[in-house]
Each structure stands twice: as C-alpha cells, then as structure tokens.
Amino acid sequence: MTDEPRTEGTRVYFTGTCEGFAELREALAGHPEIEVVGSSEHVGQASAALAGGHLDCVVHAARTDAFPATEVAAIREQTRTPIIIVAAGQGGGLLEDALEANVADVLLLPQLTENVAFAIRKAAHARTNVPRATRPPAGRVVNVFSPKGGTGKTITASNLAAALARQGRKTLLLDLDLQFGDAAIVMGLEPDKTIYDLVVAPGELDIEKLAGYTAKHPCGLDILPAPLRPEDAELVTESKITRLIEVARECYEVIVVDTSPFFHGPMLATLDRTDELLVICGLDVPTLKNVRLALQTLELLSYPSSRIRYVLNRANTKVGLSKREVEAALKISISAEVPSDRVVPLSVNKGAPAVISDASSDFSKAIVSLAKSLTPAESRAKRRKLLSMPSMPSMQRS
Ligand SMILES: Nc1ncnc2c1ncn2[C@@H]1O[C@H](COP(=O)(O)OP(=O)(O)OP(=O)(O)O)[C@@H](O)[C@H]1O
Ligand SMILES: [Mg+2]
C-alpha cells in the first residue's frame, strides 16, 4: 500500500456471477473513470470490502433470470451504496422486482463497456446529488490512528483539533479511546458528561442532544470525552458510534477522532466513515512492525489508500532510523513530520494544548500546517455552504 495521489475514479465492487461478467469486469478495470476495488462471487465473502471500502457503486451479476433478492439484501446489510444488477439473457421478471427493490439500474449483457461505465457513474452521481434533506452530511471525519500505544495519537489529535478550531473551523474532538481516553485531560478539562452518558441517555440522538454532552474549550473546540470508567466502554456500541458520527457531521466541519491502538468494532465503524486517516508513525522498529500489519489489515478491509496520510511523530529524534528508511520499509511517503518538543509534556502537565500555550514552538507550527493541509481553502468554503449550521442557543458559547 503506497501513499498514492487520490484518484477520482468511481469506486466499484463486483459481486455475483453470470455469463460475460468476467469480461465486463476486465474491461471496466481498464476504464479511466472507474476504480475497481475488488470482486467476490459470493456476497458473504465480501462483507469487509462492502462495509469498509468507501464504495460508490456495487455491480451484482444475477446468475438466473430471477431477481437476486437475498444477495441484494445481504449487500444492503453492509452498505447503502447504489446497486446495479447485470444479467445475461432476457431478464424476464427481473426488471419489475429490481425497480421495486429500488436498485439503481438493470443491464442485460452483453453491453458496451462505455454504457456500463456510464450507468455506474450515473448511479454514483445520483447518490451524491440527492435532495438536501436526504443528502449525506458535510462534516469531514479525520481519524488519528496508530497500531501502537504511546506513539502520539492523543497529542496529535488534541492539538490538531485545537488548531482547526483556532482557524475558525467548527470542530469536534471525539475521544474513541473508549477505555483509557485522555483527550479531555490533555485539553485541561474535567468533564462531567462523556460519550457514555450520551449513549445511555433516553431518546434519539440529534444535534441538540449531542450539544448537551460536549465539553466546550475556550479555543472554540467542542470535545466529546471518553467514558470515565473503562467498564463503561462496552455500552458505546458500533451502532451508537455510527449514529453519533452521522449527527456530528451535520453540525461540525471537522470531527477529529482520537483512537486506541486496536481494530475493534468501534474503530471499524469509524473507519467506514473516515475521510482522512492519519496514521501516526514513529522512528522505532516495533511501531513500524505494527504499522505494516495495520496497513495489511486496511488493505483487507479495502480501505482506500488514497485516504491515508502518514505522520511521523518525533521526527527529529536521532535514534539510528531515518524518515527515508521508514518510507522505504513501509513503501509509503510521509506527508507530515512533527518534531519531538519539550513543550509537549510541559503543555500536557499545564492542561493547555501546545498549539495554544506555545504557538511559536516547532511542534505547534508543524501541527498548524498539518491542520491547514487537511482541507484546501476552496473545499472549506464549499463545505461551509453545505453545512446548515443551525444557530441553536444550546450550541452557542458564552
Ligand atoms: N512530538 C512530541 N514531543 C514530545 N513529547 C511527545 C510528542 N508526542 C507525544 N509525546 C509524549 O508522548 C506521550 C504519549 O503520547 P500520546 O498520549 O499522545 O500517545 P498515544 O498514542 O495517544 O498513546 P495511547 O495509545 O496510550 O493512547 C505523552 O506523554 C506525550 O507528552
Ligand atoms: Mg491516547
């Protein structure tokens, strides 16, 4: 997995089988506007890719003339992405049932590759242009992850979130290190409510309810702290996290997620909604070993490599391993280097993020430039327009 530039192709996954399907898949793999994420004859074997692959469309080949209701239901269990059915032969009763099941299109093979590519792009486009009320929310999820403890996830996530808030971006710091999260402490806050209180509170989660459980930092950042007791973590289930991120994206421009060093359920649910995955690397062999394993897992999950950025923490330490050696060992390129800096432990003990308490330090400058690089100014403007940003009294700071 390399840190290749983001491709603009429509991300497609193929399931099922029928006559002519293998040839079609091969032809589409060479199409400049289509990015083939993978294929699996059996839907059951594709769950990871369907759930985590950030797909724009699934093309399912029906083996017979009958509508593949079971397979379509199984695909929908994993992803809400549009489904196109292809079949060989006459199609029989397929079309009517397919319309009823709300699939995006039905194509009878053989077809010109260009026609199928057009149908795929049309289905994907229709999904991103649904009316405002049903449009997916606009906030961007930045997930700070490392498969090794102590590499600097919390320091990076909290300072990054504070820097973004300082830059005027409406930002939520979400602590999903559910057992031992310390993002609130690093920010100098002693919260009385946490994500645990939010998920056990009665009633549907919505923007107003979320606002009632976030701690407000004077820099403008909102924080949803981790549970106070490790045993409370298990009540923060994947479905609660999924809904939480959905709601947070409606009212924040950026959601910065601090994580634990594991691929457990909550992390996988977040990954599925992650726009930018910042993988924190360090200049030590055990961390590199774990990062390599994590990259293999991400590949198995079909997580798009174009959404991964590598951050080298403590980049200036002289420990017999260089940035170039890390890049060569992992076959990646590092996007940002953060120096080891005394201001970091000092700021943690003061309870004030370094980007605020020591803004002129090299550490803070590195984090601020990382924050600026996350979304270019132009797309920031677009995002602002998309966000409804309701002016609710409960969300305004005094
Ligand atoms: N760039 C840095 N310069 C100096 N100290 C740093 C830097 N980054 C992290 N640290 C220190 O390293 C320690 C671990 O950092 P941090 O808590 O962010 O790691 P983590 O990856 O979140 O760990 P965990 O997996 O346990 O949650 C902290 O005490 C922090 O002060
Ligand atoms: Mg941490």
Side-chain angles (χ1 to χ4, degrees), residues 196 199-200 231-238 240:
Y196 166 78
V199 301
V200 298
E231 63 268 28
D232 291 342
E234 66 187 44
L235 287 178
V236 187
T237 57
E238 285 147 71
K240 299 275 186 194

Side-chain angles (χ1 to χ4, degrees), residues 77-365:
E77 248 175 57
Q78 305 295 341
T79 174
R80 285 199 211 161
T81 212
I83 302 171
I84 292 178
I85 304 288
V86 297
Q90 302 302 309
L94 190 64
L95 187 62
E96 212 156 292
D97 288 343
L99 286 176
E100 196 119 305
N102 212 11
V103 305
D105 215 337
V106 176
L107 302 169
L108 297 179
L109 299 185
Q111 289 274 344
L112 291 174
T113 311
E114 198 49 54
N115 287 354
V116 183
F118 178 77
I120 290 171
R121 288 173 52 229
K122 192 170 139 215
H125 184 77
R127 183 202 192 196
T128 51
N129 286 280
V130 287
R132 188 177 178 84
T134 50
R135 186 198 294 148
R140 198 169 177 75
V141 177
V142 177
N143 188 339
V144 182
F145 177 71
S146 172
K148 187 94 174 82
T151 43
K153 294 179 290 296
T154 302
I155 290 298
T156 308
S158 54
N159 280 279
L160 187 62
L164 287 161
R166 267 282 180 94
Q167 287 164 15
R169 322 267 304 270
K170 190 163 169 50
T171 306
L172 175 71
L173 174 58
L174 176 57
D175 194 344
L176 289 187
D177 182 354
L178 295 171
Q179 290 205 330
F180 296 105
D182 46 11
I185 293 181
V186 166
M187 295 297 297
L189 298 175
E190 276 182 41
D192 49 355
K193 289 184 195 149
T194 72
I195 189 170
Y196 166 78
D197 302 293
L198 176 68
V199 301
V200 298
E204 259 290 290
L205 178 58
D206 58 18
I207 298 176
E208 287 89 345
K209 187 169 170 190
L210 173 58
Y213 287 82
T214 52
K216 322 285 178 199
H217 190 273
C219 73
L221 177 66
D222 288 355
I223 303 167
L224 189 57
L228 298 176
R229 288 172 299 273
E231 63 268 28
D232 291 342
E234 66 187 44
L235 287 178
V236 187
T237 57
E238 285 147 71
S239 60
K240 299 275 186 194
I241 290 174
T242 303
R243 175 71 188 143
L244 168 60
I245 293 177
E246 248 172 50
V247 171
R249 291 179 80 183
E250 285 170 26
C251 54
Y252 289 97
E253 279 178 85
V254 193
I255 298 115
V256 178
V257 185
D258 186 15
T259 60
S260 62
F262 310 109
F263 281 116
H264 47 26
M267 173 60 184
L268 295 179
T270 313
L271 205 53
D272 195 25
R273 283 147 192 91
T274 294
D275 299 293
E276 204 101 44
L277 181 66
L278 300 188
V279 175
I280 311 292
C281 307
L283 289 169
D284 63 288
V285 174
T287 300
L288 297 190
K289 187 263 295 172
N290 283 16
V291 171
R292 191 202 299 264
L293 290 175
L295 297 188
Q296 286 167 5
T297 304
L298 289 166
E299 201 157 12
L300 282 176
L301 294 169
S302 299
Y303 187 81
S305 58
S306 55
R307 296 188 187 188
I308 307 177
R309 292 234 222 154
Y310 300 91
V311 177
L312 185 60
N313 191 21
R314 302 186 179 97
N316 58 340
T317 39
K318 304 272 178 280
V319 285
L321 200 58
S322 69
K323 171 192 164 195
R324 207 169 291 167
E325 283 167 316
V326 170
E327 291 183 322
L330 297 176
K331 299 191 182 65
I332 57 161
S333 68
I334 304 279
S335 320
E337 291 175 58
V338 177
S340 178
D341 200 324
R342 234 182 111 245
V343 302
V344 175
L346 284 174
S347 68
V348 171
N349 291 340
K350 266 194 281 188
V355 287
I356 292 168
S357 61
D358 286 285
S360 59
S361 63
D362 290 343
F363 170 85
S364 301
K365 285 180 192 156

